[in-house]
Amino acid sequence: TDDNYRRASVLSALSSRLDAHCSGSAVATAPKKIKAARDYLKAVRMPKVMTDAAYAKAFHAEQQRLHDLQREARAKGVSTIVVFEGWDAAGKGGAIRRLTFALNARDYKVVPISAPNEEEQRYHYLWRFWRRLARAGDMTVFDRSWYGRVLVERVEKLIDKPTYVRGYSEINTFERQLHEGGHVIVKFWLHITKAEQKRRFKERRETPYKSWKLTKDDRRNRKKWKAYERAVNDMLENTSPATAPWTVIGANDKQRTRITVLQTVSDALARALRQHAGKNRRQQRQKL
């Protein structure tokens, strides 16, 4: 009730917190250890190459299924987030194009992620992802994502170990909040062999309309293959809860990869719609 006491108390509390933060005593520390990862990538098997006829048949059927499910999701306000990560030249862009072929252009948006711009660097790294989520009932497709925190930023040593270790729990919390808010989360790691990546790089270099895809960063990242393998295995081990599991696809065959992506997204959306319907029935019974 005393004006002077109130003002002095606020200033004292604020000053104390700032002093503690600047001295490092109030900064949150990351856990010193993360769960040891097994070699997930070594266990990935590359399926047989899909014939053109089998691909065409499956592609049209899966497109129709996804189209119908997304229309229902739009009507019921069920949102979907699809995350694509993978090696350079693993086929993320092609898989995204085939995924969106099935959808009304008003029902989705694709968000390509690169290095944060000057404005984004002023905020917490997850801020730029929160603000790009689509409205209720729509699908947001991320071509690379917040997992750059524990992949490229880790491998390129843009952040220290405590920071990227803390990133696992930050990402899990972020995705749990999305799930609790009603979002369906589907995450893909597209895995190709080092030999297949070399072949695709060569094809890009020799094809005029594809040569723009091959950059100096692609060649530089290839030299850090082992470091990225360790980072990916740690990511798969520490950020795959039941509500937002990773789907690792052996992606040497592009056609089978695209079918698997369509099937996986459709299956996740179908489960979410069944749960949504069951929740509505329970709510109606409670009202009665």
Side-chain angles (χ1 to χ4, degrees):
T1 57
D2 179 72
D3 289 348
N4 291 332
Y5 178 78
R6 181 178 65 250
R7 294 163 185 162
S9 298
V10 168
L11 289 172
S12 177
L14 178 60
S15 298
S16 296
R17 291 295 296 167
L18 286 172
D19 285 340
H21 184 86
C22 291
S23 67
S25 60
V27 177
T29 57
K32 294 182 179 180
K33 294 182 179 181
I34 56 175
K35 190 176 180 181
R38 64 186 179 90
D39 196 339
Y40 289 91
L41 299 184
K42 188 176 181 180
V44 176
R45 295 291 178 263
M46 297 298 167
K48 295 181 179 180
V49 175
M50 201 171 198
T51 65
D52 290 344
Y55 170 71
K57 181 179 180 180
F59 182 62
H60 292 302
E62 291 301 329
Q63 270 195 317
Q64 183 64 57
R65 181 184 178 214
L66 180 59
H67 173 79
D68 295 342
L69 288 167
Q70 177 55 32
R71 286 190 63 183
E72 184 180 352
R74 176 67 181 275
K76 295 180 178 178
V78 176
S79 302
T80 309
I81 298 172
V82 186
V83 172
F84 282 88
E85 295 284 355
W87 298 105
D88 294 327
K92 294 182 291 296
I96 290 171
R97 285 195 297 275
R98 272 66 178 188
L99 175 68
T100 57
F101 279 172
L103 307 177
N104 186 318
R106 297 172 178 168
D107 292 351
Y108 73 90
K109 67 176 179 179
V110 177
V111 183
I113 296 299
S114 56
N117 59 35
E118 185 177 350
E119 179 191 18
E120 292 166 344
Q121 290 176 359
R122 298 173 184 171
Y123 299 90
H124 189 276
Y125 71 97
L126 290 173
W127 173 80
R128 62 175 174 151
F129 302 105
W130 271 114
R131 64 198 296 263
R132 296 190 183 190
L133 298 177
R135 62 186 178 181
D138 287 358
M139 182 180 293
T140 313
V141 182
F142 285 96
D143 185 354
R144 298 199 184 278
S145 67
W146 42 92
Y147 283 97
R149 188 68 163 185
V150 296
L151 293 175
V152 63
E153 292 184 34
R154 166 184 171 170
V155 174
E156 297 296 332
K157 301 187 184 304
L158 300 176
I159 54 177
D160 58 16
K161 184 174 181 179
T163 302
Y164 77 71
V165 170
R166 187 169 62 248
Y168 298 122
S169 60
E170 291 172 338
I171 288 170
N172 286 335
T173 299
F174 171 58
E175 292 178 349
R176 184 172 64 252
Q177 290 172 334
L178 293 174
H179 171 74
E180 291 172 352
H183 288 79
V184 182
I185 305 172
V186 186
K187 304 184 302 192
F188 294 106
W189 174 265
L190 303 190
H191 181 63
I192 56 175
T193 61
K194 198 172 183 180
E196 176 63 16
Q197 186 188 64
K198 182 179 180 180
R199 188 193 69 78
R200 293 185 185 184
F201 279 1
K202 182 175 183 294
E203 180 185 29
R204 287 181 175 184
R205 185 172 59 251
E206 295 175 352
T207 306
Y209 65 88
K210 290 184 178 181
S211 59
W212 64 271
K213 294 183 177 182
L214 190 60
T215 67
K216 292 181 180 178
D217 285 342
D218 292 332
R219 290 187 286 268
R220 185 169 58 84
N221 292 342
R222 182 173 167 80
K223 295 178 181 178
K224 299 182 179 182
W225 185 278
K226 289 293 184 182
Y228 272 103
E229 278 189 330
R230 290 191 293 272
V232 172
N233 282 320
D234 285 343
M235 176 191 74
L236 296 174
E237 181 68 50
N238 291 280
T239 61
S240 193
T243 53
W246 280 100
T247 298
V248 181
I249 300 176
N252 274 9
D253 178 31
K254 291 183 178 181
Q255 295 191 147
R256 191 173 291 278
T257 297
R258 293 162 185 171
I259 297 301
T260 303
V261 165
L262 285 167
Q263 291 173 337
T264 304
V265 174
S266 294
D267 289 346
L269 198 48
R271 285 194 300 271
L273 289 170
R274 287 196 298 270
Q275 292 170 358
H276 182 272
K279 182 179 179 181
N280 285 345
R281 285 195 295 270
R282 287 193 298 273
Q283 291 175 344
Q284 290 173 358
R285 286 197 297 269
Q286 290 172 354
K287 289 180 181 179
L288 294 174

